[in-house]
Amino acid sequence: MIKRSFQYLVGDPEEFLLQSRIFHTFSLIAIISIFGQALFYQFTRLQEASLLSAMVGLAMTGLFYLSRFKNKLHLAVSLTVIALSITHVFGYMYNAGIAGNAMLLSVETLFLVLLVVPQKQRFFWFLLTVAVLLVMVYLEYLNPGIVKKGYHDRTEKYVDLVVTYLLAAVMIYIGAVMLRNNYNKQKDAAENKALKLTHSNQEKDKLFSIISHDLTAPMATVKQYLDLLQAVELDTEERKTIEQSLARSLNEANTLLNNLLLWAKNQMHLNYVQLETIHIKALLTETVDLYRVQADHKKISIKMCVEDDLHVKADQNMLNVVFRNLLNNAIKFSHLGGEIEFRAFSENNQCVISLKDHGIGITGDKQDKIFTLNISSSYGTANEKGTGLGLILSKDFMVQLGGDLWFNSTPWEGTTFYVSLPNA
């Protein structure tokens, strides 16, 4: 409770600047210390100093209120420095002069000035604080009689000086810690920002590479084919072979372009999640039918072992993107005549869908990068091009849907991808 109350009085970091919170901290400690000093002076029969300390404590309380609750930091700081300077003058005169605690208190005030006053006013208040102390020392030097010997015995003197020193040390410690913590926080924020910028630049370079190579290559192939048709008379078999190759190339380019557009929308937060109840078996059947021709071309069989009553709450467009990318990759990296298997079951109120192939698998150096743009482009078993963008997009979509996407893979033996979503 004490900690929460102190944090409330100091101010929320989201609402108050560092200078304000330092001033509030110093003010609270100073108010407690000054009233404690007033009691000490009363105990040592220094009536004038005790009264002055009490008045300064009340003034400090008002100035703290002015900054904390009226948000007038600069005015409160200026008045505080003036009030403390006046206090130091009277404290110097009535409490042993240079042999008392006024010089330690002056250093404490100087530290406060350097921490919290506006930068343009810093030098002025620094000169004023130093000048006040130097003038008092000079006057005492010329006329030692103007200073009252405030201590009745050595015990009072040592107690007063030690307490003042400890107070100044605590103030300096708090100020230094707050500055250091703020510096570390800003340093961490700058490093995180730099890291995000580096990551963003890497993503940009990767996307430019994808656009410049993987999207322009199919267009160049189409152009070469059209030029070839004009220059050479092709027989039916040659035309059929080239057109099949072009169809596959354009299909890959179309998939990549769709993924690029969806990824760009996702980065700009333009993909809106529209949850609905989805029948998993129907969705997977539709996905398999869509890629049946591509699978038949490589003589790959696709099996389904899916419970009929599985339903999830998800966005159908997002799930289509996820399973189409997974199945497309499974076909791409499966061997001729291979087998792919869909499984789906309910476990702990989660619907888990797995897609297993017996293809070339994922090498160890790529597994940690599989869901990032840092992964290098790879080719399928029939030289199909892959960029990895579909997996990144699928992972992002699963996170947005409150699910997960992960995999197990053994190089040259195959890969199994898993998708989990809450049951409807």
Side-chain angles (χ1 to χ4, degrees), residues 18-57:
L18 175 65
Q19 290 91 333
S20 296
R21 289 184 284 117
I22 291 176
F23 176 72
H24 298 158
T25 303
F26 279 16
S27 296
L28 289 171
I29 296 175
I31 290 168
I32 296 171
S33 303
I34 289 172
F35 279 115
Q37 195 175 45
L39 292 175
F40 174 78
Y41 287 147
Q42 186 70 29
F43 177 75
T44 56
R45 298 180 298 279
L46 294 173
Q47 302 298 331
E48 299 91 341
S50 177
L51 179 61
L52 178 63
S53 295
M55 292 174 62
V56 172

